[in-house]
Amino acid sequence: MTSTIESNPLEAPRYLDDFKIGDQIETEEFPVTRDMIVTFAQQYDPQPMHLDEAAARSTVFGELVGSGWQTLAVTMRLLVDAQLLGGTPIVGTEFKEMRFHAPMRPGDVLRAHAEVVDICPSKSRPDLGFLDVRVTTKNSADATLITQSWRLVLPRQCSV
C-alpha cells in the first residue's frame, strides 16, 4: 500500500525511523522562464542552446532549452520547499542512475515526485541510516524530464 509523506513544519525534524518503503511526496510547481534559463546558462553552462534562440536552432534541440544542471537544481529546490525531510537537511551521499529524458524549455512548469524505495540503517553508525529515494521531474505536459536515485543520510530517532 502506498502512503504519502506528511509535510512537517520546517522546525520538526524527520528521522529515518519516520519513513516506510513506498512513502511518496509530490511537490508544488515551479514555472520556468526564458530569462531564468539564460541567466543560469551565462553563469554555469554557457552553451548556445541555453543562451540564444538563434544559436539554439543549429543545435540538436533546434530551440532554446534549459541546462540539465539547471533542471537538477530546480528539482532540488522543489524537494527542499516540499520539506521532504521536514527540518532535517537533505544530505546526499550518492546520486545515481541520473537520466535526462527531455529538456526543460521556457514556459515549462516543473514538479517533482519522490518515492522511498529502500531504508537501510548504518552498520557502523547506529545513530544514522540511509534513505533511498527515486526522484522524477516532470513538466506541465506530464513529460518526464529527469529521473534519478538519491541516497540520503538521516539521523535515527532510536539506536538499535
Side-chain angles (χ1 to χ4, degrees), residues 40-104:
F40 182 92
Q42 288 169 336
Q43 188 161 7
Y44 300 107
D45 193 356
Q47 298 188 74
M49 64 277 205
H50 308 315
L51 293 169
D52 177 75
E53 287 87 350
R57 282 194 281 279
S58 66
T59 70
V60 66
F61 299 103
E63 63 182 324
L64 186 78
V65 296
S67 167
W69 298 111
Q70 184 177 20
T71 310
L72 291 167
V74 169
T75 301
M76 181 68 180
R77 176 61 189 256
L78 284 164
L79 288 168
V80 168
D81 287 351
Q83 299 178 22
L84 174 66
L85 304 180
T88 304
I90 297 175
V91 177
T93 63
E94 184 176 19
F95 297 88
K96 60 184 180 178
E97 300 171 8
M98 188 179 312
R99 182 162 178 222
F100 296 93
H101 299 269
M104 177 179 72

Side-chain angles (χ1 to χ4, degrees), residues 112-156:
H113 172 88
E115 180 176 355
V116 175
V117 295
D118 198 16
I119 299 167
C120 183
S122 173
K123 293 177 181 157
S124 62
R125 294 270 316 262
D127 59 326
L128 297 176
F130 302 98
L131 186 71
D132 291 345
V133 181
R134 184 77 178 147
V135 177
T136 303
T137 307
K138 293 185 174 192
N139 65 17
S140 47
D142 208 36
T144 298
L145 303 185
I146 294 178
T147 53
Q148 57 189 311
S149 295
W150 293 9
R151 175 160 268 205
L152 308 175
V153 63
L154 275 83
R156 296 197 63 204

